[in-house]
Amino acid sequence: SEFKWLDFPAVGVGQLHFDERFVTTGPPADNLKGDLKWGAERMGLKYPVLPPCSRRELGMIQGFCRENPGQKTKDIEELCMKFKRNANGVDIFPKIPSQIKPFIKKWKLNQEAKVLQLQLGKSYTDLYNKMRSKTVDLPAPVQKSSKKPKQPKQPSNAVTTLSVMDPPHVPPPSAPGQRQYVESSSEKLNKRCAWYPACNECVSVCGGLSKTLCNVFGTNGSQCMNAPTDAE
C-alpha cells in the first residue's frame, strides 16, 4: 500500500510535541515497566509526562510557591526544567507548565483559607466543624402570622345577597352636562302637598311644594291658623 501509518499517535496518549526544555527525548528508561514504559514509547520520551501525584512532586510545588509568592510564567518554566533534571521514573516525572498551574492555584486558595482561620480564631473552627457534620442544629423557623383574618367558609347552599344599586344616570339630550337626576316640572305638579294627609290636594292645585307655600295650611293659606302640628 502507498499509505503508511505514523510512528507516533495522532490522538490518545500523549501530545504530538513537547518542549525539549521540559522533557528528554529518546527511548524509554530501563527502570520503566508496564503502562509507564508504554506511555514513554508512545510519547517518544525517556520518562512520560504525568500530572503531579507523588509526595515528592507535591512537596516540590509547595516549596516553589513558598519561595515565589508572585509566580510568573518564567518561574513556572524554571520549575518544569527542575522536574526534568530530577526525573527518575519512580516518584518524579517531567512536567509542563499547564500541569503545574492548577496546583499553584489550589495552593493559593489553601493559603487564603489558613489566613482566614487565623483571623477568626476558634469561631472559624466551630463553623467549619458544623458545616462538616452530617446534621445541622438550627432553630425551628418562625411562622409568620397572616395579616388578613381568615373568614369562615360559607356552606355550599348559602344564598349571597347582593346590594341593589341605582341605575347609572344618563343625561338627557337637551342637557348633556347634567350630572344628576332633576325632577321635571310635570313631575313636580303631580306630587302631593307637603301637608299630606291633612291637605289632599296636588301641588298643582294648592302649590304645596313645601309647607310654607301651601294655600291651605301654608303661611298665607286660608286655614293657616288651623294648620296641624307635627304631633298631629
Side-chain angles (χ1 to χ4, degrees):
S1 174
E2 8 180 296
F3 298 101
K4 296 181 181 180
W5 55 67
L6 300 176
D7 58 352
F8 59 87
V11 293
V13 179
Q15 300 181 0
L16 298 180
H17 173 73
F18 291 102
D19 193 331
E20 293 186 358
R21 293 180 300 166
F22 311 135
V23 296
T24 302
T25 59
D30 297 335
N31 63 333
L32 296 180
K33 296 180 181 179
D35 294 338
L36 294 177
K37 183 177 181 180
W38 180 83
E41 290 176 349
R42 281 296 193 179
M43 297 178 187
L45 304 176
K46 182 179 180 180
Y47 297 110
V49 177
L50 301 178
C53 57
S54 66
R55 291 185 179 181
R56 288 191 62 184
E57 291 179 337
L58 297 177
M60 291 174 63
I61 297 176
Q62 292 175 0
F64 167 77
C65 293
R66 286 192 295 266
E67 296 173 1
N68 302 274
Q71 302 90 355
K72 298 181 180 180
T73 303
K74 182 179 179 181
D75 299 329
I76 298 175
E77 290 177 351
E78 291 179 356
L79 176 61
C80 293
M81 288 187 282
K82 183 178 179 180
F83 271 99
K84 175 185 175 181
R85 293 192 301 269
N86 298 333
N88 55 16
V90 179
D91 53 3
I92 299 179
F93 292 86
K95 302 289 181 285
I96 55 178
S98 60
Q99 294 175 325
I100 300 294
K101 291 179 180 179
F103 286 84
I104 294 177
K105 183 178 180 180
K106 183 177 180 181
W107 181 85
K108 289 182 178 180
L109 293 176
N110 291 336
Q111 292 301 112
E112 292 177 359
K114 290 180 181 179
V115 172
L116 179 62
Q117 181 179 2
L118 294 175
Q119 292 176 349
L120 297 178
K122 187 178 179 181
S123 59
Y124 174 86
T125 305
D126 296 340
L127 178 62
Y128 182 74
N129 293 332
K130 287 182 180 179
M131 297 299 292
R132 290 187 63 188
S133 62
K134 295 182 179 180
T135 59
V136 181
D137 185 13
L138 295 176
V142 179
Q143 296 182 355
K144 295 182 179 180
S145 58
S146 58
K147 296 182 180 179
K148 296 182 180 180
K150 294 183 179 180
Q151 298 180 355
K153 294 183 179 180
Q154 296 182 354
S156 58
N157 57 354
V159 179
T160 305
T161 58
L162 299 176
S163 59
V164 180
M165 300 179 64
D166 295 333
H169 170 67
V170 180
S174 59
Q178 182 177 308
R179 296 179 177 273
Q180 59 184 0
Y181 176 73
V182 178
E183 294 180 344
S184 63
S185 58
S186 59
E187 290 177 344
K188 291 181 180 180
L189 294 176
N190 293 330
K191 277 190 173 183
R192 292 178 178 177
C193 177
W195 285 102
Y196 179 84
C199 178
N200 293 326
E201 301 293 341
C202 294
V203 173
S204 60
V205 177
C206 68
L209 287 173
S210 64
K211 289 185 177 182
T212 57
L213 298 178
C214 179
N215 57 14
V216 180
F217 296 110
T219 304
N220 298 321
S222 59
Q223 300 184 26
C224 61
M225 301 300 296
N226 298 326
T229 61
D230 295 338
E232 296 176 349

